[in-house]
Amino acid sequence: MADRLQKTANLFARMWRDYLHPYWARIALALVFLILEGSTLGLLSWMLKPLFDRVFVGGNTDAIWWVGGVIFTLFLIRAMTFVINRSLMTSVSLAVSTTMQRDMLRHIMALDGDFFQKNPPGALIERVQGDTIAVQGVWSTFISGAGRDVISLLSLFGVAIAVDPMWTLAAMVGAPLLILPTLLVQRYIRRKMRQNRVNASQRATRLDEVLHGINAVKLNRMEDYQTDRFARIVDSIRRGQIKMSAIGATVPALVDIVTGLGFLGVLALGGAEVTRGERTVGDFMSFFTAMALAFQPLRRLGSLAGTWQVAAASLERIYDVLDLRPAITSGPRREPPPDTAIRLEDVRMSYDGHPVLNGLSFTAEAGHTTALVGPSGAGKSTVFNLLTRMVDPDSGQITLGGVPLREFDLGVLRDQFSTVSQDAALFDETLRENILLGHPQDDAALRRAVEAAHVAEFADALPQGLDTSAGPRGSALSGGQRQRVAIARAVLRNAPILLLDEATSALDAQSERLVQQALDGLSVGRTTLVIAHRLSTVRQADKIVVIDAGRVVEEGNHDQLIAQDGAYAALVRLQFGET
Ligand code: ADP
């Protein structure tokens, strides 16, 4: 329990340091207004003493005006401070959640591939949006709601003690009843809330998968199956929330009972004193009103008992992500490599203990085209991922221009490569934005790229030209068109090394010719590595590297390898149906 408390306190302390601290001035100002607003309740009950003793009992009608004036002013102050507080706190809590969302996205983007393997997009979306908003909501209710209520209670308490300390004690007879249930409820809500956030992640993941795979869902008639799975998740969220709200309501309910007991106690003790004339009616009314006014804030605070656990659960999930450190990090070198020769030496690499590359070694000469061929699953794409450091090898050395990859700044390293593949990630933006990718270029350069990549052929025929939307994930374009957009990107990037993943699915003859022309133009003068699926590409390559089971089995040019009549010749017969 103490451990938990310590951990939660640490979480909130970190949040203060990382996110709230810059706004301390605004928070301090809000606190001043909170104190003002909260203390009006105490003053209000205090004013009842002169109201009763002087006006009602004393018969002094003049006092009506000044007492009434003071009471009205108190309400006026409450109204104004409420508005000021609300705007101050909203501006702080929104600023905090916005900064958190931005930080999380930036941080998540820097994490390694295996993180994304373990955390599906839906779950991550839920973390960035759902968790930060959960923290934001609680934070604002906490400060503006709980803060004001605590101040109100303190001021009412002050009035109560000033009127009669013994009555105050009597009013609190039931208070110890609250302690244990409050602690238990907090623990319960924290546990449930964590489960609830996990369920919310699953809900987002299911939605993401269904909506992205909508065609597969329809074609395989999975609608009922997916609906059932989704219904089970939302149902368990619903059940969890009902339980949380029922259990959470027990504390405010107990506040009712405890207050009832308090009234009884005060009546028993104070009622007798007033009738005996030891205390005035004003004293009693003042005290009674303070108690009555304390009732609502106390109840609200009771229902907040679980609410801050909600923030703790989400905050924990946010920091779980922010505390992850990527294994793939930038090196110090910011100059580009002296040349673009690529060398792999005895590279070994595995995914989750399953070996994929088993001592792979080859060289791709600068300015030449090297074709990687081999059966599916041989490890060809893994080579691309290693070169761009999407993954790092378990052992072995990879150099670019003689410099180990790890020495480069990641941005500088990735700037050396342009990758073109058919499943190029297109965004739901215009063709223009999909080609520029956030790096502005002048129109002439864009036009040259669009023409070189044969994008112009189809873009110019569209009513909005380059300003046509590519659709979600580029779904408004055909495979060949997507690939040509990817080529246009590569032309603009003008990186010295080209990584080409040839399409496995057949393009129609016309598309294929255009794509081929565009690629040929692009690879001129660049170091090119191509995962080849077309015989024409392999034939033209300066060097062919045949990979099987994560190892190089043969190396040479087409004629040499055919003459050897080994693995390559067999592959050519199998894959291309000819020799
Ligand atoms: P190729 O491009 O030659 O078809 P890949 O390099 O894509 O082969 O894959 C090589 C092996 O690595 C395959 O057995 C594949 O299942 C495995 N693999 C690739 N990516 C991952 C991953 N992210 N997690 C686990 N295994 C992977």
Side-chain angles (χ1 to χ4, degrees):
M1 191 80 200
D3 242 24
R4 269 253 66 96
L5 217 63
Q6 179 69 37
K7 226 176 129 190
T8 313
N10 285 345
L11 276 175
F12 282 102
R14 270 185 84 177
M15 182 177 170
W16 170 262
R17 255 195 338 266
D18 297 345
Y19 292 101
L20 286 164
H21 185 242
Y23 303 102
W24 70 267
R26 253 189 269 180
I27 295 173
L29 195 64
L31 281 178
V32 170
F33 282 104
L34 270 179
I35 292 174
L36 259 180
E37 188 185 344
S39 53
T40 50
L41 277 189
L43 288 171
L44 197 63
S45 64
W46 189 242
M47 287 315 291
L48 290 182
K49 184 175 156 63
L51 187 65
F52 274 82
D53 288 348
R54 298 204 187 170
V55 181
F56 297 148
V57 181
N60 175 359
T61 42
D62 288 349
I64 288 187
W65 294 110
W66 74 261
V67 173
V70 171
I71 291 179
F72 180 72
T73 313
L74 286 177
F75 278 103
L76 216 58
I77 292 175
R78 269 180 84 74
M80 280 182 329
T81 48
F82 174 74
V83 173
I84 296 174
N85 262 325
R86 179 61 74 82
S87 5
L88 279 173
M89 286 323 298
T90 310
S91 81
V92 173
S93 59
L94 283 178
V96 167
S97 63
T98 318
T99 317
M100 271 184 173
Q101 291 181 351
R102 193 195 61 201
D103 285 1
M104 276 186 92
L105 179 64
R106 183 180 290 281
H107 184 81
I108 286 174
M109 285 193 297
L111 293 175
D112 299 334
D114 60 349
F115 173 80
F116 296 96
Q117 209 79 38
K118 288 183 199 120
N119 297 277
L124 293 176
I125 291 171
E126 187 57 37
R127 277 204 194 211
V128 174
Q129 290 189 338
D131 284 321
T132 50
I133 286 175
V135 170
Q136 166 205 314
V138 168
W139 176 247
S140 49
T141 30
F142 213 64
I143 291 268
S144 40
R148 185 190 44 199
D149 287 343
V150 167
I151 302 285
S152 304
L153 280 181
L154 283 179
S155 70
L156 291 169
F157 213 61
V159 170
I161 291 183
V163 173
D164 194 322
M166 284 315 287
W167 290 2
T168 313
L169 263 182
M172 288 177 21
V173 283
L177 279 181
L178 283 174
I179 297 170
L180 189 66
T182 310
L183 291 178
L184 290 178
V185 164
Q186 292 205 31
R187 228 173 61 182
Y188 178 83
I189 293 207
R190 184 192 185 89
R191 251 195 338 209
K192 268 274 166 247
M193 197 59 213
R194 253 197 257 147
Q195 184 55 44
N196 203 280
R197 298 307 309 157
V198 171
N199 286 340
S201 287
Q202 280 175 0
R203 176 178 60 186
T205 303
R206 283 264 59 74
L207 280 177
D208 175 64
E209 302 225 308
V210 168
L211 297 178
H212 276 134
I214 187 67
N215 286 348
V217 168
K218 287 187 180 197
L219 291 173
N220 294 296
R221 311 206 37 214
M222 292 167 78
E223 293 91 341
D224 290 343
Y225 170 72
Q226 292 289 8
T227 309
D228 285 350
R229 276 178 81 178
F230 187 70
R232 273 202 297 279
I233 297 171
V234 286
D235 244 21
S236 96
I237 295 180
R238 178 181 60 86
R239 278 196 306 271
Q241 263 167 351
I242 290 178
K243 276 190 205 150
M244 266 197 296
S245 106
I247 301 274
T250 53
V251 176
L254 274 174
V255 168
D256 283 5
I257 297 173
V258 168
T259 313
L261 286 175
F263 272 121
L264 264 182
V266 173
L267 215 55
L269 191 69
E273 288 177 11
V274 174
T275 46
R276 285 201 299 272
E278 289 164 17
R279 307 300 306 257
T280 66
V281 177
D283 282 335
F284 190 81
M285 284 316 290
S286 211
F287 190 90
F288 218 68
T289 314
M291 263 190 87
L293 287 177
F295 175 62
Q296 273 306 336
L298 205 63
R299 218 162 176 254
R300 270 199 303 267
L301 282 179
S303 61
L304 275 183
T307 317
W308 73 288
Q309 293 292 352
V310 172
S314 283
L315 207 52
E316 194 173 358
R317 281 163 52 87
I318 290 172
Y319 275 118
D320 277 350
V321 171
L322 289 179
D323 284 343
L324 290 176
R325 290 284 159 263
I328 295 173
T329 51
S330 265
R333 184 184 166 109
R334 301 197 65 92
E335 313 90 71
D339 69 82
T340 52
I342 295 165
R343 210 177 150 74
L344 282 80
E345 287 167 59
D346 196 26
V347 171
R348 286 167 202 278
M349 131 107 216
S350 53
Y351 281 116
D352 299 324
H354 169 74
V356 173
L357 298 184
N358 303 297
L360 190 79
S361 307
F362 72 87
T363 306
E365 274 86 21
H368 287 74
T369 296
T370 305
L372 304 180
V373 296
S376 169
K380 305 179 294 292
S381 313
T382 304
V383 170
F384 281 14
N385 289 337
L386 284 168
L387 289 175
T388 46
R389 286 198 71 204
M390 302 306 282
V391 289
D392 273 348
D394 302 334
S395 69
Q397 173 93 294
I398 308 174
T399 56
L400 183 59
V403 183
L405 293 189
R406 281 172 208 262
E407 287 184 15
F408 289 102
D409 172 84
L410 270 182
V412 170
L413 177 73
R414 289 180 184 153
D415 274 346
Q416 307 307 309
F417 298 94
S418 284
T419 306
V420 179
S421 66
Q422 193 182 11
D423 55 22
L426 263 66
F427 303 101
D428 189 7
E429 292 175 347
T430 62
L431 287 177
R432 181 192 307 277
E433 286 162 331
N434 262 299
I435 295 172
L436 290 176
L437 295 179
H439 305 289
Q441 295 267 355
D442 61 63
D443 281 349
L446 178 64
R447 192 67 215 166
R448 275 198 301 278
V450 163
E451 274 167 16
H454 294 286
V455 169
E457 270 92 338
F458 69 90
D460 290 350
L462 296 167
Q464 283 160 299
L466 285 179
D467 294 313
T468 311
S469 164
R473 297 191 168 182
S475 54
L477 304 181
S478 74
Q481 289 171 339
R482 278 202 289 275
Q483 201 167 359
R484 283 185 267 162
V485 169
I487 296 170
R489 286 175 176 173
V491 173
L492 274 186
R493 254 175 96 81
N494 198 18
I497 307 170
L498 188 60
L499 302 179
L500 274 181
D501 191 351
E502 276 189 345
T504 41
S505 56
L507 299 174
D508 61 87
Q510 156 87 347
S511 278
E512 172 151 358
R513 196 173 48 79
L514 290 175
V515 167
Q516 198 56 51
Q517 276 176 9
L519 287 176
D520 289 347
L522 186 58
S523 62
V524 171
R526 291 176 217 268
T527 308
T528 303
L529 230 67
V530 51
I531 298 179
H533 294 286
R534 294 193 198 96
L535 189 59
S536 58
T537 315
V538 211
R539 272 214 169 106
Q540 281 170 20
D542 299 298
K543 180 185 199 171
I544 300 164
V545 176
V546 185
I547 301 178
D548 194 4
R551 218 181 257 116
V552 174
V553 289
E554 277 177 352
E555 242 179 289
N557 65 28
H558 178 77
D559 293 336
Q560 292 164 345
L561 292 180
I562 288 293
Q564 274 185 24
D565 199 20
Y568 176 74
L571 197 77
V572 167
R573 273 196 298 275
L574 184 74
Q575 202 167 331
F576 309 117
E578 53 180 301
T579 46

